[in-house]
Amino acid sequence: MELTQPCFNKVLVANRGAIACRIIRTLRAMGITSVAVYAEADADSLHVRQADEAWPLGEGSAADTYLSQDKLFHILAGSGARAVHPGYGFLSENAGFARRCEAQGIAFLGPTPEQMEQFGLKHTARALAEDAGVPLLPGTGLLSDLDEALSEASRIGYPVMLKSTAGGGGIGMSRCYSDEDLAKTFESVQRLSQNNFSNGGVFLEKFVQHARHIEVQLFGDGQGTVVALGERDCSAQRRNQKVIEEAPAPGLSDDVRQRLHATARALGEQIAYRSAGTVEFIYDPATTEFYFLEVNTRLQVEHGVTEQVYGVDLVRWMVELGAGTLPELSELGNNLAPAGHAIQARIYAEDPNKDFQPSAGLLTNVSWPDDPALRIDTWIQPGTEVSPLYDPMLAKVIIHETDRESARNRLISALDNSQLYGIETNRTYVSQVLADDRFREGRLFTRTLNEFNYQPSTVDVISGGTMTTIQDHPGRIGYWEIGVPPSGPFDSYSFRLGNRLLGNEKSAAGLEITLRGPTLVFNRATQIVLAGAPLDASLDDRAVPFWEILDVAAGATLKLGATTGEGARAYVLFRGGLDCPDYLGSRSTFTLGQFGGHGGRALRAGDVLHLPDSDPVDKARLGQGLRPVLGKTWKLHVTYGPHGAPDYFTRADIDTFFNSEWEIHYNSSRTGVRLIGPKPEWARSDGGEAGMHPSNIHDNAYAVGTVDFTGDMPVILGPDGPSLGGFVCPVTVISADLWKLGQLKAGDKVQFVPVSQDQ
């Protein structure tokens, strides 16, 4: 077909996420206007913010948004874009979409529809590969029924792979070691293929037991010239999904490498391949032979490692080819030379400790190291809400170094020093794979990760309790003047004692529990201390004490029930603290502001807490003399003023205030502790210019522990309370007694005891 398209200055990016950001970045460098599309769930994605224009696709699943051709063509018409870059996934290999673009005079920046169809079905791709002399694994054409499958499997020899001809992404594949295996899975693979790809065709291929996955990057001009830009190793796979990719592939001889390139190039030249594509091979290290697997008629997720090694921009080539401005491809090919080694880690929103189940929710912190050798292709930022509707890939972290070992070590360091907090990701899992000897030595096969032993350093929240939050001491200091409270542990005395017992830093974060505690499962051995108000506590159904170091084994379950008597708040302190990002200098949770701690909220079922690396300490317990004394009646020492008698209260009323026993109101919280007691006698009838009630004054600075008369009811301001307000404050609790506020419980009695500054 005709190669050169009419020139265009505006391109529709028919994709989302990291690849959309990648395409937009290249278009901007070329001076071409980018038109992004987005589903409502992706409204805050970086690709929407980075594009020159952004057009909504509405709400719904991929079928209702990114796969809706009618919506995309409506946006093409409205925006005036005359070209489409499909990226990968979605419509990138949809021949019908590409053909519809051509029919409407839109440049489709990818292969021709015919080439997509030729390579889109694996059995026809095998036939093309056979015609081009590409080595093939022993296999079959499309199978008519199970009897034929059993007969062909006997001819090929077990093990075999039963595959959907229209499959992709590891869907529609089953490994069979016997007639029994094949008989069990034949109908299910057919059904899966029909349901996912509207094509129930299946075929068999010989399965190589210790196989590596090697692929060659191609680029063709559509006129018969095709260049091969080296090969990539994609053997680090989990259930046929790639996790780590690298270029060049380690451990190949020059002869194998050259044969791979030549074979892939010949296959592309046979059909005058256009644009970017990848030929995938199975490589058998035992025999050094390779066999055709499939062709991907699109840009690959892992194209970045090839770009880093060859110093090219494949997206730019695709755009220039579509616009008819690409320099002579043969000349470009002559100047290609690989340099160094690149490795890519795919970062997914998934929990490796829960069989890689997808993880959705709010990313409260996103931080990458500042490393010039590092390339981050991503769409996320702090505050991104990760939707469960789409692919869970968050980022591709790519490192380019002079040699493989340097790249491996630098990528491990980059991942370990990155931070993605709020939902679970596979970041630590990938780092552990990179550190494994089998990866370091280049001995990773496509099935290796299926048996990889991941070691999580986490705690699963099975139930969150009444109100369980992450806090640290002294909390968020330095922002009181602008209305941000310190937060921190309400009973800081118990909290600090627990941390000191464990030998932690003073600022180590722990959990604060109000009235009823959570249930936690530890995925790594550690040590903890329970502090504060006593509550029912058991470790693997064995009662455990407060105020001493407890050894917790990996897999153990800690159940914390209701407080059993005096006091309202208990604490769980962990050896080394909790690994949680700072927000304004503190890990403390401020629930009203929805920031700090774990997502700015109380813990709930399904949350995962992270433990830092730490060495155990010797067992110890806290002496009775240091433990806080809890009760149901309390004396709170306070300093007098600034709003006392005779200006605001009568002298008799102040005497009543100090002589009375106040009851703790049930509606008390970290914001403030409400008190039930005698109605005050005011020394004035109203607040004058400040308001109708005598408690009203113009804005006045508060402190934690200030007793604030909100109308006729006094409230002791807590660590999450306001920094100023318009109410009188006759007394403030002294620092030494502030911890007691955290243990005040509904129904407790309090008496205020005045002390001077000298006292």
Side-chain angles (χ1 to χ4, degrees):
M1 65 178 293
E2 185 67 25
L3 169 68
T4 304
Q5 302 281 355
C7 289
F8 46 79
N9 57 12
K10 186 179 282 193
V11 173
L12 177 75
V13 182
N15 217 296
R16 65 177 294 276
I19 184 58
C21 293
R22 164 78 179 86
I23 297 166
I24 290 166
R25 189 166 63 242
T26 293
L27 293 174
R28 180 181 298 117
M30 297 176 70
I32 295 174
T33 299
S34 58
V35 180
V37 294
Y38 65 94
E40 187 60 33
D42 283 335
D44 292 328
S45 171
L46 278 178
H47 85 275
V48 178
R49 299 188 180 192
Q50 293 173 350
D52 297 306
E53 298 179 19
W55 292 66
L57 293 166
E59 297 183 349
S61 65
D64 299 321
T65 54
Y66 297 102
L67 292 174
S68 174
Q69 294 189 30
D70 289 343
K71 288 184 178 180
L72 292 175
F73 278 101
H74 175 75
I75 293 170
L76 279 164
S79 67
R82 304 306 300 162
V84 173
H85 199 303
Y88 45 67
F90 291 139
L91 295 170
S92 61
E93 292 180 286
N94 188 301
F97 178 63
R99 192 167 277 120
R100 187 171 171 181
C101 285
E102 290 187 346
Q104 297 194 25
I106 303 295
F108 181 83
L109 304 179
T112 69
E114 294 78 15
Q115 289 165 352
M116 292 183 196
E117 290 169 337
Q118 287 172 307
F119 286 120
L121 296 177
K122 292 182 175 65
H123 73 284
T124 58
R126 278 177 60 91
L128 285 169
E130 189 171 21
D131 291 343
V134 180
L136 296 175
L137 283 166
T140 71
L142 290 182
L143 299 166
S144 58
D145 53 32
L146 175 59
D147 289 339
E148 184 184 8
L150 292 169
S151 174
E152 289 294 304
S154 177
R155 175 184 64 81
I156 296 168
Y158 288 104
V160 295
M161 188 72 84
L162 178 64
K163 291 185 173 183
S164 160
T165 186
I171 300 172
M173 298 172 62
S174 178
R175 190 166 55 250
C176 305
Y177 290 90
S178 65
D179 284 355
E180 184 180 6
D181 288 348
L182 184 55
K184 281 181 181 177
T185 60
F186 187 81
E187 287 187 7
S188 65
V189 171
Q190 276 188 321
R191 186 168 55 253
L192 191 65
S193 178
Q194 184 65 45
N195 291 342
N196 282 276
F197 310 110
S198 300
N199 188 324
V202 295
F203 66 101
L204 290 175
E205 263 186 357
K206 177 68 178 175
F207 176 68
V208 178
Q209 194 79 354
H210 294 106
R212 285 173 59 186
H213 184 122
I214 309 292
E215 60 188 34
V216 176
Q217 177 69 59
L218 295 183
F219 198 93
D221 63 8
Q223 304 298 304
T225 302
V226 178
V227 297
L229 292 89
E231 80 292 336
R232 301 183 285 255
D233 190 307
C234 308
S235 303
Q237 300 179 14
R238 186 188 60 77
R239 300 173 187 160
N240 302 311
Q241 287 279 14
K242 299 168 186 174
V243 178
I244 302 170
E245 299 100 345
E246 57 182 314
L252 299 185
S253 67
D254 289 341
D255 173 64
V256 169
R257 215 178 294 275
Q258 294 306 316
R259 285 194 292 123
L260 276 167
H261 300 174
T263 299
R265 189 167 54 247
L267 181 57
E269 289 171 345
Q270 177 181 263
I271 60 168
Y273 189 78
R274 185 183 82 180
S275 195
T278 302
V279 184
E280 300 191 349
F281 297 93
I282 289 294
Y283 175 66
D284 187 348
T287 62
T288 70
E289 296 296 329
F290 57 85
Y291 306 95
F292 174 77
L293 184 60
E294 64 180 344
V295 174
N296 285 297
T297 53
R298 56 173 167 81
L299 198 66
Q300 290 278 84
V301 175
E302 57 271 21
H303 72 277
V305 291
T306 296
E307 291 183 325
Q308 296 300 106
V309 168
Y310 279 87
V312 300
D313 186 335
L314 291 172
V315 172
R316 185 182 189 110
W317 282 18
M318 295 172 77
V319 175
E320 290 178 335
L321 178 64
T325 60
L326 183 72
E328 189 67 37
L329 190 57
S330 57
E331 292 182 14
L332 288 174
N334 291 335
N335 295 324
L336 291 175
H341 198 93
I343 308 177
Q344 169 178 288
R346 299 190 188 195
I347 306 302
Y348 289 108
E350 61 187 15
D351 189 345
N353 194 49
K354 296 185 178 68
D355 201 25
F356 297 88
Q357 71 179 24
S359 178
L362 180 67
L363 277 166
T364 56
N365 193 58
V366 177
S367 175
W368 309 104
D370 184 13
D371 185 341
L374 199 61
R375 167 177 161 181
I376 309 291
D377 286 1
T378 187
W379 60 279
I380 58 174
Q381 59 189 334
T384 295
E385 185 80 28
V386 178
S387 168
L389 295 174
Y390 308 115
D391 184 272
M393 187 187 296
L394 300 177
K396 298 181 295 179
V397 181
I398 308 169
I399 203 80
H400 183 220
E401 261 287 1
T402 54
D403 59 84
R404 184 176 188 266
E405 184 62 7
S406 298
R408 186 185 71 90
N409 286 327
R410 203 158 180 177
L411 184 53
I412 292 173
S413 176
L415 292 174
D416 290 347
N417 289 290
S418 299
Q419 196 165 57
L420 301 172
Y421 195 87
I423 63 175
E424 286 307 287
T425 74
N426 68 334
R427 178 181 61 87
T428 304
Y429 169 82
V430 174
S431 182
Q432 290 184 19
V433 172
L434 288 164
D436 189 272
D437 286 344
R438 290 166 293 185
F439 185 90
R440 181 175 59 82
E441 296 166 5
R443 296 187 290 108
L444 216 62
F445 304 120
T446 54
R447 295 179 58 212
T448 303
L449 294 190
N450 291 347
E451 289 83 38
F452 182 75
N453 184 25
Y454 171 58
Q455 299 293 323
S457 188
T458 56
V459 178
D460 289 323
V461 179
I462 307 304
S463 64
T466 303
M467 176 75 171
T468 305
T469 58
I470 294 176
Q471 302 293 342
D472 66 2
H473 181 80
R476 198 162 282 106
I477 303 302
Y479 300 94
W480 191 249
E481 293 80 3
I482 59 172
V484 178
S487 299
F490 210 166
D491 174 2
S492 62
Y493 183 58
S494 295
F495 188 91
R496 287 182 292 156
L497 283 174
N499 265 336
R500 190 169 75 175
L501 192 57
L502 284 163
N504 287 343
E505 296 287 334
K506 291 182 179 179
S507 60
L511 296 181
E512 177 176 277
I513 296 160
T514 303
L515 298 178
R516 177 176 290 276
T519 297
L520 308 173
V521 172
F522 291 76
N523 299 313
R524 193 198 78 183
T526 188
Q527 292 174 310
I528 64 170
V529 165
L530 303 178
L535 45 72
D536 290 323
S538 66
L539 192 62
D540 285 340
D541 297 323
R542 178 177 56 86
V544 288
F546 274 51
W547 299 115
E548 65 178 73
I549 294 176
L550 305 174
D551 290 326
V552 181
T557 299
L558 177 68
K559 294 181 180 178
L560 300 173
T563 51
T564 56
E566 295 84 2
R569 287 175 176 83
Y571 296 90
V572 185
L573 292 313
F574 303 81
R575 172 65 183 139
L578 289 172
D579 191 359
C580 172
D582 284 353
Y583 188 88
L584 296 178
S586 171
R587 297 176 175 87
S588 288
T589 309
F590 178 37
T591 56
L592 290 176
Q594 298 183 337
F595 57 72
H598 192 86
R601 57 170 172 77
L603 298 186
R604 58 192 182 211
D607 286 342
V608 180
L609 306 176
H610 290 251
L611 301 173
D613 292 332
S614 61
D615 296 323
V617 293
D618 293 337
K619 295 289 286 291
R621 65 164 52 105
L622 191 71
Q624 289 288 346
L626 285 174
R627 301 180 189 184
V629 178
L630 308 181
K632 292 185 178 296
T633 59
W634 302 80
K635 289 189 182 298
L636 294 178
H637 294 83
V638 296
T639 56
Y640 185 60
H643 308 129
D647 294 330
Y648 300 93
F649 300 91
T650 66
R651 174 57 62 187
D653 186 56
I654 290 298
D655 291 340
T656 300
F657 176 82
F658 285 117
N659 292 329
S660 296
E661 196 172 57
W662 299 84
E663 182 179 337
I664 305 302
H665 192 277
Y666 71 90
N667 188 18
S668 297
S669 67
R670 286 177 53 89
T671 303
V673 178
R674 296 176 180 271
L675 303 174
I676 303 170
K679 184 177 180 179
E681 293 180 8
W682 297 97
R684 56 184 190 166
S685 59
D686 58 50
E689 293 180 357
M692 296 292 292
H693 195 274
S695 65
N696 296 147
I697 56 173
H698 289 297
D699 278 350
N700 165 66
Y702 292 153
V704 175
T706 292
V707 178
D708 161 42
F709 270 80
T710 305
D712 290 337
M713 174 176 276
V715 179
I716 312 174
L717 296 180
D720 288 352
S723 60
L724 58 86
F727 298 99
V728 299
C729 304
V731 298
T732 298
V733 178
I734 67 172
S735 297
D737 277 4
L738 287 178
W739 71 268
K740 298 178 182 178
L741 304 183
Q743 297 298 354
L744 297 178
K745 201 173 189 176
D748 284 1
K749 301 296 193 299
V750 169
Q751 187 170 7
F752 294 100
V753 180
V755 295
S756 67
Q757 289 291 337
D758 290 340
Q759 288 173 312

